[in-house]
Amino acid sequence: MAPGKRKATVPQLKAELSAEKETNKRRKSAMDEIVKEFICPISLELPVEPVTAEDGRVYNRAGIQKHIDNADDDNLRSPVTGAPMGPTLVPAVQVQNTLHALIESGAVEDDSGERLKKVIAMKKKAEAGD
């Protein structure tokens, strides 16, 4: 033991462990909230190919494209707000990168990312030449 350093007591260790558990619980809760923000309001899953629509929301391309294709040309509305919107979709590259990082880190523990997990695994396998 280093000079001047006292050994921690059992109650001190328990208090430190309890504080660490509480910190981890808060972090997990924050991560869960972040993941919820990325769930596509149409498919109710994390988007495999995220795009930003003109309503400012992120969707899975397949879901929002189907919504756009099924709408009257002059009556396209946001599936979330019901407000008028245009048909332009922009790839959400930063969202995709963030989702991949969250999946690969194990931060996504519920079923909302199952399809995305499979796509990431298939891409890795293909890149490895398997």
Side-chain angles (χ1 to χ4, degrees), residues 117-128:
K117 287 177 189 177
K118 289 176 185 172
V119 169
I120 292 170
M122 286 181 358
K123 280 184 181 178
K124 282 186 174 183
K125 197 172 183 180
E127 289 170 356

Side-chain angles (χ1 to χ4, degrees), residues 35 38-40 43-49 60 99-100 102-104 106-123:
V35 169
F38 290 121
I39 291 177
C40 172
S43 69
L44 302 179
E45 297 178 322
L46 291 175
V48 171
E49 188 180 356
N60 195 26
L99 291 175
H100 283 221
L102 289 169
I103 293 286
E104 290 175 359
V108 178
E109 295 176 348
D110 64 9
D111 292 340
S112 66
E114 286 307 310
R115 207 164 126 234
L116 181 57
K117 287 177 189 177
K118 289 176 185 172
V119 169
I120 292 170
M122 286 181 358
K123 280 184 181 178

Side-chain angles (χ1 to χ4, degrees), residues 64-81:
I64 191 65
Q65 189 63 59
K66 185 176 181 180
H67 175 78
I68 291 168
D69 293 346
N70 289 335
D72 295 332
D73 289 338
D74 59 343
N75 197 28
L76 177 59
R77 299 202 169 266
S78 165
V80 175
T81 66

Side-chain angles (χ1 to χ4, degrees), residues 49-52 58-59 61 90-99:
E49 188 180 356
V51 293
T52 303
V58 174
Y59 299 91
R61 181 181 292 279
V90 178
V93 178
Q94 288 176 310
V95 170
Q96 185 171 23
N97 293 341
T98 300
L99 291 175

